[in-house]
Amino acid sequence: MRVDTSGAFCPVPILEIAKAMRRVAPGTLVELISTDVGLEADLPAWCEATGHLLVRLERRGTHHYVGWVRKAG
C-alpha cells in the first residue's frame, strides 16, 4: 500500500500512515511518501511508539522522503 502525503505538513503524514495501518493486515508493508522535513524525526518516533517496524527511511533530494513501515502483529 502507498500513502502519498506530498505537500502536507505535520501532523498529516503520521495521521495518514496511522489510518493506513488500521486498514491493513499485520505484516503488510506500507510506503509513505512525504515532503515534510519533520518526517525524519516523526516517523521513527511514531514507529517506536506504536511497535511498527521502520524498514527504511530514504531522503530523496532536499524535501522528499520515502519511508517503508511494516505493520506489527
Side-chain angles (χ1 to χ4, degrees), residues 41-69:
D42 294 346
L43 189 58
W46 179 78
C47 287
E48 186 175 327
T50 60
H52 299 303
L53 175 64
L54 178 58
V55 175
R56 185 174 179 157
L57 179 57
E58 199 173 282
R59 185 176 185 170
R60 295 181 178 172
T62 307
H63 298 292
H64 289 87
Y65 302 89
V66 181
W68 292 270
V69 178

Side-chain angles (χ1 to χ4, degrees), residues 2-73:
R2 176 179 288 159
V3 178
D4 188 345
T5 63
S6 297
F9 297 98
C10 184
V12 174
I14 297 302
L15 293 174
E16 291 299 317
I17 195 167
K19 282 197 290 190
M21 288 298 191
R22 288 192 292 270
R23 295 191 307 257
V24 299
T28 301
L29 188 65
V30 176
E31 178 183 28
L32 176 64
I33 300 167
S34 178
T35 52
D36 180 9
V37 297
L39 194 72
E40 283 186 296
D42 294 346
L43 189 58
W46 179 78
C47 287
E48 186 175 327
T50 60
H52 299 303
L53 175 64
L54 178 58
V55 175
R56 185 174 179 157
L57 179 57
E58 199 173 282
R59 185 176 185 170
R60 295 181 178 172
T62 307
H63 298 292
H64 289 87
Y65 302 89
V66 181
W68 292 270
V69 178
R70 187 166 310 280
K71 183 173 180 173

